[in-house]
């Protein structure tokens, strides 16, 4: 079939529909409930000794963004994205007052549900980012942020979940985070890791 065949959108039309859907998903996040949960999640990270982010599958993408940039900003954030046994090791290191972030996209695995429960039992503040409004993870969550994942033609969009991670990072940005980020960038420069920019 050619791009002009019935039932098949031309690439430009498909791209436009994806961008419009992503924009709609992000706009849907700007509710008072979600904004309060985002702020509370950022505060939990700020006050925690350690934060562990656990996810699987597609959720690993947004988890990497939050973990990497949050660490550069000076927060002790550990990514637990490997096997369930490795994830369990990270979760068992949590203590009272620590923070557990759980990112779940689409179907919920038994492992992720169990890990969330263990984190809660260890006294961590639990924040859940999920597309499931009636997620079983709510039972163990202090804060829930529902992120739409509707795409086009049966695809899944992670744009809203990425936007939430960026919003959390925005809440974490302060003078100390700026200083920590500057120190990291200076270390990169000292090691000659970055290509010279004109």
């Amino acid at each position: 079939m050619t791009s002009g065949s019935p039932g098949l959108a031309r690439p430009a039309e498909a791209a436009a529909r994806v961008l419009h859907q992503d924009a709609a998903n992000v706009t849907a996040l700007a509710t008072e409930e979600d904004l309060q949960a985002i702020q509370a999640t950022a505060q939990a990270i700020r006050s925690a000794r350690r934060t562990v982010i656990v996810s699987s599958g597609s959720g690993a993408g947004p988890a990497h963004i939050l973990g990497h940039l949050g660490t550069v900003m000076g927060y002790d954030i550990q990514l637990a994205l490997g096997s369930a046994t490795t994830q369990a090791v990270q979760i068992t290191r949590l203590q009272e007052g620590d923070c557990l972030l759980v990112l779940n996209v689409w179907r919920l695995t038994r492992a992720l549900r169990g890990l969330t429960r263990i984190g809660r039992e260890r006294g961590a503040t639990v924040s859940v980012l999920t597309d499931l409004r009636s997620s079983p993870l709510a039972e163990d969550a202090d804060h829930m942020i529902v992120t739409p994942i509707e795409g086009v033609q049966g695809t899944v969009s992670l744009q809203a979940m990425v936007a939430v991670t960026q919003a959390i990072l925005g809440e974490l940005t302060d003078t100390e985070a700026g200083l920590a980020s500057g120190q990291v960038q200076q270390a990169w420069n000292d090691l000659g890791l970055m290509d010279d920019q004109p």
Side-chain angles (χ1 to χ4, degrees):
M1 294 177 71
T2 65
S3 61
S5 299
L8 198 64
R10 292 199 306 268
E13 292 173 349
R17 286 205 315 274
V18 168
L19 293 174
H20 286 303
Q21 183 61 57
D22 280 351
N25 289 349
V26 172
T27 299
L29 291 170
T31 66
E32 189 62 30
E33 184 179 5
D34 280 338
L35 290 172
Q36 288 178 359
I38 288 168
Q39 291 167 348
T41 297
Q43 182 54 41
I45 295 171
R46 188 187 306 278
S47 60
R49 175 189 63 97
R50 167 180 293 153
T51 295
V52 172
I53 304 177
V54 63
S55 188
S56 62
S58 299
H64 270 291
I65 294 169
L66 182 56
H68 173 69
L69 294 178
T71 301
V72 169
M73 293 167 66
Y75 296 95
D76 185 350
I77 299 178
Q78 307 292 321
L79 288 171
L81 304 175
S83 66
T85 53
T86 301
Q87 290 175 318
V89 171
Q90 292 279 36
I91 298 296
T92 58
R93 291 180 179 163
L94 290 170
Q95 299 175 8
E96 189 79 28
D98 284 344
C99 181
L100 173 63
L101 265 67
V102 182
L103 280 67
N104 177 227
V105 178
W106 194 40
R107 299 183 67 182
L108 175 61
T109 64
R110 289 189 185 93
L112 200 57
R113 187 172 183 183
L115 291 165
T116 304
R117 183 172 297 119
I118 292 170
R120 176 62 177 235
E121 290 170 351
R122 295 194 64 79
T125 300
V126 178
S127 288
V128 172
L129 281 65
T130 180
D131 62 294
L132 304 173
R133 290 204 170 274
S134 58
S135 173
L137 296 178
E139 297 174 16
D140 296 303
D142 295 290
H143 311 293
M144 283 277 294
I145 307 168
V146 179
T147 63
I149 62 166
E150 285 77 19
V152 297
Q153 295 182 332
T155 61
V156 171
S157 170
L158 297 177
Q159 192 61 48
M161 192 169 282
V162 171
V164 169
T165 66
Q166 293 294 142
I168 292 169
L169 290 165
E171 288 287 330
L172 290 172
T173 301
D174 58 17
T175 302
E176 286 188 18
L179 289 172
S181 177
Q183 291 172 353
V184 170
Q185 292 181 51
Q186 184 59 53
W188 291 341
N189 290 338
D190 291 346
L191 292 168
L193 300 178
M194 301 302 164
D195 191 18
D196 292 333
Q197 298 295 318

